[in-house]
Amino acid sequence: MNENVSQPSGEPILTIGENAYRRIRADIVFGRLVPGQKLKLERLRDTYGASISTLREILNRLSSESLVVAEGQRGFEVAPVSVENLREIAALRLLLEAHALEQSFAAGDMEWEGRVVAAHHKLATLERRMRGGDHSDTELWKRYDWEFHQALISACGSTVLMETHAGIFDKYLRYQMIALSFRGDIAAEEHKIMHDCALARDAKRAREVLIRHVEGGVEHALATGTIR
Amino acid sequence: MNENVSQPSGEPILTIGENAYRRIRADIVFGRLVPGQKLKLERLRDTYGASISTLREILNRLSSESLVVAEGQRGFEVAPVSVENLREIAALRLLLEAHALEQSFAAGDMEWEGRVVAAHHKLATLERRMRGGDHSDTELWKRYDWEFHQALISACGSTVLMETHAGIFDKYLRYQMIALSFRGDIAAEEHKIMHDCALARDAKRAREVLIRHVEGGVEHALATGTIR
DNA sequence: TTACGAAAAATATCAGATATTATTGATTAC
DNA sequence: GTAATCAATAATATCTGATATTTTTCGTAA
């Protein structure tokens, strides 16, 4: 997830709007707000404790991100999902991430390796625990997953690329959450390989694994039948 | 530019907010609102005739698109520009557009060819006129330029890819407008080649020309010295 | 010149009002 | 029974104006 990294010198003060924005966004990405669901302003006000003006600002932001749709004068609703859309998003994620991976592998320094190893450690540890049947931390898992993939491409040298990737990644993530598709064993294995590839600077192999990783995720999500 | 295609059966009624949104967005993309410029709400209200509430919704949308930055409680300003950022945007445009081009060339049918030929015709005609020294239609030229590139990738089969490309394209466009860099002769030649490649389904060559096209645009823009 | 603090400006947020547009439900026509 | 019609209701887009905070400005003192 895209969380602001808190500065070492005190956490950043969140404005009411920023706070509600994150909550709503997370509720959409994690499927607590259902695709297609109408977002009535008064109800949102009660739920998120922000005024209607502020909420409209938030919903406008989210509609720019394609997580919410605003149709004419008919208010807002959670962006719908479709098989088609999932496939497009997965393909775009692959295009962006594979390219970023290559750049990152070529340019990564020791700091970068440190980030990769650290992110993988957190992820692998959690994955091991989850393999034991403890699925209570699915959200945390997804976050570590994000942090790992983010770390892998973090030396690609392009902020624009990373931000664009982050936006697409979250939309991909939403599909995974909606399908509630945990395939920890396979994913963990693939994460391990990518981690090793990173240290060995084997971009070619990492790319292949990434393709399997994402396409496997798509098929697994579709297999649950949750997405029409 | 991203304009709503007006339906055959009557033009879509534009809400005040939508209208102001487009005007402000165009003013940013076409450089009339200068990078880094503070966007004071009261002044915007007078200029664009929308209330402050509505304007805040618009600015929030634009900040999601990275055309405006909203820093804490310090209001909004037009997104700054930098050489770094231009290079990143150009590179991302190339990644997206080259990939979309390939897909499009492979899947394009007769309808697609028609769109390409039509868009190229409009663009080439205007470029011929502009070569005569008439630079009064720079905005129109940029729009036809957009429509042509859009047509080329319009058979790529991915809405998500096209929308993402459109967002990046407009940011690239902003740099071109800021640098006021018209290099009609070279660009027109490259447009012609891409047009021919499309009909011949020569994706490989089109890609090479596209790379020249975009990278040439970047260097040309940088050469004006307008962007620090 | 730099540092400090009060005054002014601008912002984030809210509540409530109005006009317009959607949606709902009942009624009528076929 | 289904389709079309239209008034009543609900929800939205937009605006005005108010309040508490936060930034910025600017003059004064160190």
Side-chain angles (χ1 to χ4, degrees):
Chain A
M1 291 291 308
N2 282 324
E3 313 260 327
N4 265 3
V5 185
S6 56
Q7 300 296 322
S9 57
E11 64 291 335
I13 295 101
L14 291 188
T15 116
I16 288 185
E18 189 59 25
N19 204 46
Y21 165 75
R22 295 191 187 185
R23 284 180 57 202
I24 296 177
R25 193 179 194 285
D27 283 350
I28 293 175
V29 171
F30 286 104
R32 292 182 288 263
L33 287 172
V34 179
Q37 179 179 337
K38 195 92 211 309
L39 294 169
K40 297 232 187 73
L41 292 165
E42 305 214 342
R43 213 161 65 68
L44 292 182
R45 166 161 50 92
D46 301 338
T47 307
Y48 297 100
S51 76
I52 289 187
S53 325
T54 303
L55 283 168
R56 287 187 55 88
E57 294 180 13
I58 292 169
L59 295 177
N60 272 286
R61 263 169 91 179
L62 290 169
S63 79
S64 245
E65 297 181 49
S66 296
L67 286 173
V68 157
V69 291
E71 5 165 29
Q73 354 264 84
R74 248 167 297 159
F76 303 89
E77 52 190 62
V78 179
V81 295
S82 70
V83 175
E84 175 88 335
N85 186 249
L86 168 54
R87 292 219 142 97
E88 291 185 13
I89 282 171
L92 184 51
R93 176 185 161 185
L94 271 179
L95 177 68
L96 296 171
E97 192 165 332
H99 183 257
L101 215 53
E102 209 165 318
Q103 308 286 111
S104 202
F105 277 34
D109 58 3
M110 190 62 82
E111 286 301 314
W112 169 71
E113 290 192 6
R115 289 196 297 273
V116 170
V117 173
H120 181 263
H121 171 75
K122 293 197 292 180
L123 178 58
T125 303
L126 187 56
E127 277 169 335
R128 213 169 299 128
R129 193 194 310 158
M130 287 180 83
R131 210 167 332 161
D134 178 4
H135 283 208
S136 60
D137 281 331
T138 311
E139 290 196 18
L140 190 60
W141 178 55
K142 283 303 179 188
R143 178 159 145 211
Y144 284 170
D145 184 50
W146 147 260
E147 286 182 8
F148 175 61
H149 285 280
Q150 159 64 29
L152 281 175
I153 66 173
S154 65
C156 76
S158 171
T159 309
V160 173
L161 175 54
M162 284 176 55
E163 284 169 355
T164 306
H165 172 264
I168 292 292
F169 189 97
D170 279 351
K171 282 168 219 146
Y172 176 86
L173 182 52
R174 180 167 75 123
Y175 278 96
Q176 297 293 308
M177 295 309 301
I178 289 169
L180 278 177
S181 62
F182 176 76
R183 43 175 214 127
D185 37 356
I186 303 174
E189 173 71 15
E190 289 162 347
H191 284 149
K192 176 66 167 67
I193 299 176
M194 285 191 275
H195 164 271
D196 294 344
C197 285
L199 299 188
R201 307 298 162 113
D202 187 348
K204 191 166 157 49
R205 177 136 189 260
R207 182 198 193 98
E208 290 163 8
V209 176
L210 178 64
I211 293 173
R212 273 217 307 279
H213 190 61
V214 173
E215 290 184 344
V218 171
E219 296 313 322
H220 193 258
L222 289 179
T224 67
T226 329
I227 295 148
R228 289 169 294 133
Chain B
M1 291 290 308
N2 283 324
E3 313 260 328
N4 265 2
V5 185
S6 56
Q7 300 296 321
S9 57
E11 64 292 334
I13 294 103
L14 291 188
T15 123
I16 288 185
E18 190 59 25
N19 204 46
Y21 165 74
R22 294 190 187 186
R23 284 181 57 202
I24 296 178
R25 193 178 194 285
D27 284 349
I28 293 175
V29 171
F30 286 103
R32 292 183 289 263
L33 287 171
V34 179
Q37 180 179 336
K38 196 92 210 306
L39 293 170
K40 298 231 186 75
L41 292 165
E42 305 214 341
R43 213 161 64 69
L44 292 182
R45 164 161 50 89
D46 300 338
T47 307
Y48 297 99
S51 76
I52 289 187
S53 327
T54 305
L55 283 167
R56 287 186 56 87
E57 293 179 14
I58 292 169
L59 294 176
N60 271 286
R61 264 169 91 179
L62 290 170
S63 80
S64 244
E65 298 181 48
S66 296
L67 287 173
V68 157
V69 292
E71 6 165 28
Q73 355 263 84
R74 247 167 299 161
F76 302 89
E77 51 189 65
V78 179
V81 294
S82 70
V83 174
E84 175 87 336
N85 186 250
L86 168 55
R87 292 219 142 96
E88 291 185 12
I89 283 171
L92 184 51
R93 177 187 159 184
L94 271 179
L95 177 67
L96 296 171
E97 192 166 332
H99 183 257
L101 216 52
E102 209 165 317
Q103 308 285 111
S104 202
F105 277 33
D109 58 4
M110 190 61 82
E111 286 302 314
W112 170 71
E113 290 193 5
R115 289 196 296 274
V116 169
V117 173
H120 182 263
H121 171 74
K122 293 196 292 179
L123 178 58
T125 304
L126 187 56
E127 276 169 337
R128 213 168 299 128
R129 192 193 312 159
M130 287 181 84
R131 211 170 328 163
D134 178 4
H135 284 208
S136 60
D137 280 331
T138 310
E139 289 196 17
L140 189 61
W141 178 55
K142 283 303 178 187
R143 178 159 144 211
Y144 284 170
D145 184 50
W146 148 259
E147 286 182 8
F148 175 61
H149 286 280
Q150 159 65 30
L152 281 175
I153 66 173
S154 65
C156 76
S158 170
T159 309
V160 173
L161 176 54
M162 284 176 54
E163 284 170 355
T164 306
H165 171 266
I168 292 293
F169 189 97
D170 279 351
K171 281 168 219 146
Y172 176 86
L173 182 51
R174 180 166 76 122
Y175 277 96
Q176 297 292 309
M177 294 310 300
I178 288 169
L180 277 177
S181 62
F182 176 75
R183 41 174 215 128
D185 37 356
I186 304 173
E189 173 71 15
E190 288 162 348
H191 285 149
K192 176 67 168 64
I193 300 176
M194 284 191 274
H195 164 271
D196 295 344
C197 286
L199 300 188
R201 308 297 164 115
D202 186 349
K204 192 166 155 49
R205 176 135 189 260
R207 183 197 192 100
E208 289 163 9
V209 176
L210 178 65
I211 293 173
R212 272 217 306 281
H213 190 61
V214 173
E215 290 185 345
V218 171
E219 296 314 322
H220 193 258
L222 289 178
T224 67
T226 328
I227 295 148
R228 289 170 294 131

